[in-house]
Amino acid sequence: MSLGYAEKLSYKEDIGTVGMTEIFDSPQTLQEKTEELATIIKHSKHLVAFTGAGISTSCGIPDFRGPKGVWTLQRDGKSIPEASLPFDRATPSFTHMALVELEKAGILKFLISQNVDSLHLRSGIPRDKLSELHGNSFRELCPSCGVEYVRDFEVETIGMKETSRRCVDEICKARLKDTVLDWDDALPPKEMNLADKHCRMADVVLCLGTSLQVTPACNLPLRCIRGGGKVVIVNLQPTPKDKKAGLVIHGLVDKVIAGVMHLLNMRIPPYVRIDYLQICFKRLLSKDNDRYVKWAVSVVSVHGSRAPIPFLRSVEVLFPESPLLKSAILTKPPFQLRRHMLSRPLKMLVKLNFGDGCRCSCTIIDFPFNFEASMGSIDNDMDGVTQKLRDSALKDPRCGQYEIVERKSLLSTRSEITTYAIVTNVVRHRCNPVASPSKANGFVHQTYQNIVKRLNEGTNGNEASPKRLK
């Protein structure tokens, strides 16, 4: 969760139990329970996942109720812990990406999250298969027409208040609102209704990294029991719902899910982060000699010229073929450079220097222009561009690859705006549940051959080797 989010919450005296001691199942018990969970998932017909802050701790985001959680430290009069990365650059964990693979394989039918960190959306879970019960710190909603806007920066307010931006629809233009709940805010009906529906349909609700204390969300998993379903809880601390669960596993969520995916013989897809920005080239009016022209180039967010670009540290503008033109380093938004020069074709390089959390330090965009002619319009398919970049990023994980999504000319402002998609991070997860023997809270060194054999024998005992689930 966001530390900014925790600080923005209204004061509440009773926030439930915090700081409970973490429990670790023995390696043998953990192995047996992981095997049982893999069998449950393999034979499930309608699997629903229910996630909490515990699945994001390995992403560098502190939880709330753990021994070093935000609320635990606040109760003890200590300062709030610091995240290891900027909140907007947090990378989906092994568990996040495993859930993506389970959804793609048709096993996971729906995902319910109490988190506001947007990591499920970033990981690739389809929006129509996700309920974010407590909102999303990176999502705004138009209260008039219902359009959602997912940002690459954290929205500045919580409590469903008006933000500084408006709906882009020319007819609507209503003031947008944040989507993050404060303590006394009711759960959004749309998210709640879908979550309730799928929990009632589920034969398995898998609760991952949640204390199951915040009402009314914590009661949703129990809906499946009425229809003969089973609740499985994976959490380091005991929860109020443990007695009603069919299986309770005390272990690190990533380690447990790694074991499950290994047993199911399922791969973990790499995480490829693609960010977007715009380069705007504008011809300025000039009363000087026609041989000279005034122009400006600026690097702006796709979410608006005043919106931040959190992944960008600075911008350098270079003129490799024009030694008389001085290069410029732009360190503060808006990243804009103005020049007055002869009206002739010019080659310009725009170097984007990325901030913390990006796998590469920079990328250079070749940006030639001709004052006498337009660069021409481009309107590429967004999904096609995204897929092309994902494919190239998997072959070359150095990042920095980019493609043009759109280029349009605005005659009224004498400007051309080019939208770029850029690969800023690639993370590969290994499906390896084996940890160092010195770590008591992980799996000790062991082989899974016998477990895989027993799992695949399942009900008929005829399968000789694990097969990928379709």
Side-chain angles (χ1 to χ4, degrees):
M1 297 290 186
S2 165
L3 302 188
Y5 159 66
E7 292 174 332
K8 294 170 190 172
L9 284 170
S10 301
Y11 176 76
K12 187 176 179 66
E13 183 70 31
D14 182 14
I15 56 174
T17 305
V18 300
M20 289 186 292
T21 302
E22 293 180 338
I23 302 171
F24 294 91
D25 288 332
S26 68
Q28 180 63 31
T29 300
L30 194 60
Q31 174 179 316
E32 293 171 355
K33 289 183 177 180
T34 300
E35 177 185 357
E36 182 179 352
L37 176 56
T39 302
I40 290 172
I41 291 176
K42 180 178 180 180
H43 297 293
S44 66
K45 302 299 182 183
H46 196 97
L47 174 66
V48 173
F50 186 88
T51 65
I55 75 163
S56 296
T57 53
S58 61
C59 308
I61 302 173
D63 62 16
F64 287 98
R65 302 178 189 275
K68 295 183 180 180
V70 174
W71 294 334
T72 304
L73 294 179
Q74 283 183 334
R75 180 200 61 182
D76 297 337
K78 299 178 181 179
S79 59
I80 292 177
E82 294 184 1
S84 60
L85 277 176
F87 188 46
D88 54 83
R89 296 308 302 182
T91 299
S93 67
F94 184 100
T95 299
H96 286 100
M97 300 311 298
L99 292 172
V100 171
E101 183 64 11
L102 288 170
E103 188 279 324
K104 288 181 178 179
I107 299 171
L108 179 66
K109 306 300 183 183
F110 200 75
L111 196 155
I112 306 165
S113 181
Q114 303 166 96
N115 298 340
V116 301
D117 52 28
S118 200
L119 289 177
H120 284 306
L121 278 181
R122 289 183 198 168
S123 68
I125 292 291
R127 180 67 179 97
D128 61 354
K129 293 188 178 181
L130 172 67
S131 278
E132 295 180 308
L133 296 180
H134 296 159
N136 185 326
S137 290
F138 296 84
R139 178 162 53 86
E140 291 177 287
L141 178 68
C142 176
S144 179
C145 66
V147 173
E148 291 185 340
Y149 297 84
V150 180
R151 309 300 190 184
D152 55 12
F153 57 88
E154 188 177 0
V155 178
E156 62 272 19
T157 63
I158 72 164
M160 296 179 289
K161 299 181 180 68
E162 288 187 348
T163 68
S164 59
R165 289 162 292 280
R166 294 182 178 274
C167 181
V168 299
D169 186 277
E170 291 296 329
I171 298 176
C172 182
K173 290 188 176 181
R175 180 80 71 178
L176 301 179
K177 291 186 176 183
D178 72 75
T179 60
V180 178
L181 306 188
D182 206 341
W183 280 113
D184 296 325
D185 292 326
L187 295 182
K190 181 180 178 181
E191 309 290 327
M192 185 64 173
N193 291 340
L194 277 173
D196 181 80
K197 171 187 173 182
H198 281 277
C199 282
R200 292 180 187 277
M201 295 170 60
D203 60 346
V204 180
V205 177
L206 177 59
C207 302
L208 301 172
T210 170
S211 64
L212 294 170
Q213 290 192 52
V214 180
T215 59
C218 66
N219 294 317
L220 283 170
L222 304 183
R223 302 279 200 273
C224 77
I225 297 177
R226 300 175 185 176
K230 178 181 292 187
V231 174
V232 177
I233 300 174
V234 182
N235 199 53
L236 285 177
Q237 296 172 309
T239 82
K241 311 300 181 185
D242 285 358
K243 292 182 180 180
K244 296 185 179 181
L247 175 64
V248 177
I249 304 176
H250 293 299
L252 295 171
V253 176
D254 281 351
K255 295 294 184 182
V256 172
I257 297 303
V260 168
M261 298 299 282
H262 179 84
L263 294 169
L264 295 178
N265 195 31
M266 297 183 72
R267 69 177 185 86
I268 303 300
Y271 169 65
V272 179
R273 171 143 185 177
I274 297 177
D275 286 293
Y276 303 87
L277 54 72
Q278 293 178 334
I279 297 181
C280 179
F281 180 76
K282 185 175 183 179
R283 298 168 182 80
L284 305 174
L285 295 176
S286 175
K287 297 181 180 179
D288 297 337
N289 190 304
D290 291 341
R291 295 178 56 200
Y292 288 84
V293 62
K294 289 183 179 180
W295 56 270
V297 63
S298 55
V299 178
V300 299
S301 168
V302 294
H303 302 290
S305 58
R306 296 184 179 180
I309 312 178
F311 60 91
L312 205 56
R313 188 192 304 275
S314 64
V315 174
E316 296 180 47
V317 183
L318 312 170
F319 306 95
E321 297 178 357
S322 304
L324 296 180
L325 281 178
K326 187 177 180 181
S327 300
I329 301 178
L330 313 174
T331 58
K332 295 181 180 180
F335 301 106
Q336 186 179 74
L337 174 68
R338 292 172 177 261
R339 283 288 188 266
H340 184 203
M341 53 172 286
L342 284 171
S343 177
R344 58 184 177 81
L346 184 66
K347 180 177 181 179
M348 179 169 62
L349 300 179
V350 179
K351 183 181 179 183
L352 307 173
N353 296 312
F354 300 124
D356 294 338
C358 296
R359 182 59 58 92
C360 54
S361 61
C362 66
T363 193
I364 297 177
I365 294 178
D366 190 349
F367 197 83
F369 57 89
N370 186 342
F371 295 107
E372 304 300 328
S374 170
M375 289 186 286
S377 297
I378 297 175
D379 188 8
N380 291 324
D381 174 63
M382 172 73 79
D383 292 337
V385 169
T386 301
Q387 189 57 52
K388 181 179 179 181
L389 281 174
R390 290 186 190 281
D391 293 342
S392 63
L394 297 181
K395 298 176 182 177
D396 183 3
R398 291 178 299 173
C399 303
Q401 303 94 322
Y402 66 87
E403 292 285 342
I404 294 177
V405 177
E406 180 186 49
R407 177 183 290 147
K408 57 185 178 180
S409 298
L410 303 178
L411 297 178
S412 59
T413 58
R414 299 163 60 89
S415 61
E416 292 180 325
I417 301 174
T418 308
T419 302
Y420 292 88
I422 306 169
V423 177
T424 57
N425 209 349
V426 178
V427 178
R428 296 178 183 272
H429 293 282
R430 292 183 179 180
C431 188
N432 180 13
V434 179
S436 169
S438 63
K439 294 184 178 180
N441 60 353
F443 283 94
V444 297
H445 183 72
Q446 57 190 284
T447 63
Y448 277 76
Q449 294 178 352
N450 292 333
I451 302 176
V452 172
K453 181 180 179 182
R454 292 198 300 273
L455 172 64
N456 284 280
E457 285 173 354
T459 57
N460 56 34
N462 293 325
E463 296 181 28
S465 61
K467 295 182 179 179
R468 176 180 170 81
L469 295 177
K470 298 296 182 182

